[in-house]
Amino acid sequence: LVRWPTGEATPVSCPSSSSRVPGGEAVPLYLPLSRRNEVPRSICLLYSSPLWWDGDSGGELPPLDIQQEASLLIEAIGTTLPIKVELATASNLTRLLTAAPSEHLLTLHLSLHCGDSGQHLLLEDECGGAHPFSLEDLRNMLEATGCSDKLGLVFLHACCSDLAGEIFVMAGARHVICCRGAVFDATAKCFTRAF
């Protein structure tokens, strides 16, 4: 599904049945390119993998293999771009968005869980627990950091991340990759490798 800035959605078929995401569909969201300095200086991989969440549909959360994900990114891009790996906390995300230079667009790779069918991004708190970050919190953060001219590519590596993806698009991100529905590890690894 391609979502255009006008809000229209155009279905796009996958090149082969093996590239389809079981239980969900990849949802690339785009805004037109407006600048030529869109070559990123680095990729920022922010991850959150708390063990437990107390929300409405809470419980034990499967661990994310961040080390393997970072390795797959390095394999995919080689040594052309450095990869900065940090814990996905609200303060780290705010600092990253605020400090990002506007002369080179930010490439943000968020690997985390979503809660309540995508109504919350599950960041981590300072103690390693789940910090449910609502879509309204995300919208407010993106507005407060003034990042509309800084977001080049945002990859939301999480189940049910399409609602958060739309928030990033509305904030001015040029490209957003997210998923509607479940993301399975094998499919996510294949996508990260091709990323």
Side-chain angles (χ1 to χ4, degrees):
L1 186 71
V2 176
R3 187 167 315 274
W4 303 100
T6 61
E8 294 179 71
T10 306
V12 177
S13 54
C14 296
S16 71
S17 59
S18 63
S19 65
R20 293 176 198 264
V21 180
E25 58 182 289
V27 183
L29 303 170
Y30 300 102
L31 281 180
L33 300 177
S34 60
R35 302 187 329 204
R36 288 292 133 212
N37 60 345
E38 306 222 353
V39 177
R41 289 259 170 118
S42 65
I43 295 176
C44 302
L45 168 58
L46 273 68
Y47 68 92
S48 173
S49 189
L51 300 176
W52 188 265
W53 178 47
D54 290 328
D56 294 343
S57 57
E60 189 175 347
L61 297 168
L64 302 176
D65 191 347
I66 302 305
Q67 193 169 23
Q68 183 178 32
E69 188 162 351
S71 295
L72 289 171
L73 271 175
I74 291 168
E75 181 184 314
I77 64 169
T79 58
T80 57
L81 292 173
I83 298 174
K84 300 175 186 177
V85 181
E86 293 188 39
L87 193 61
T89 63
S91 59
N92 282 351
L93 185 56
T94 301
R95 179 186 45 76
L96 182 66
L97 293 172
T98 303
S102 56
E103 61 270 6
H104 289 281
L105 295 177
L106 181 64
T107 299
L108 187 58
H109 183 112
L110 288 169
S111 185
L112 42 76
H113 294 286
C114 286
D116 294 331
S117 299
Q119 296 297 314
H120 292 92
L121 299 177
L122 297 182
L123 303 180
E124 285 194 31
D125 62 21
E126 286 69 29
C127 300
H131 172 196
F133 201 68
S134 72
L135 296 176
E136 189 62 31
D137 292 337
L138 179 62
R139 184 179 294 110
N140 291 338
M141 173 192 285
L142 293 172
E143 184 177 304
T145 57
C147 64
S148 64
D149 62 340
K150 299 177 183 180
L151 292 171
L153 171 64
V154 178
F155 176 32
L156 294 167
H157 189 175
C159 297
C160 303
S161 56
D162 56 322
L163 297 175
E166 289 184 21
I167 302 283
F168 276 103
V169 167
M170 288 187 297
R174 270 85 172 155
H175 308 280
V176 174
I177 301 169
C178 53
C179 189
R180 179 179 301 136
V183 176
F184 295 93
D185 286 344
T187 305
K189 288 175 187 173
C190 288
F191 185 85
T192 299
R193 187 174 285 121
F195 179 73

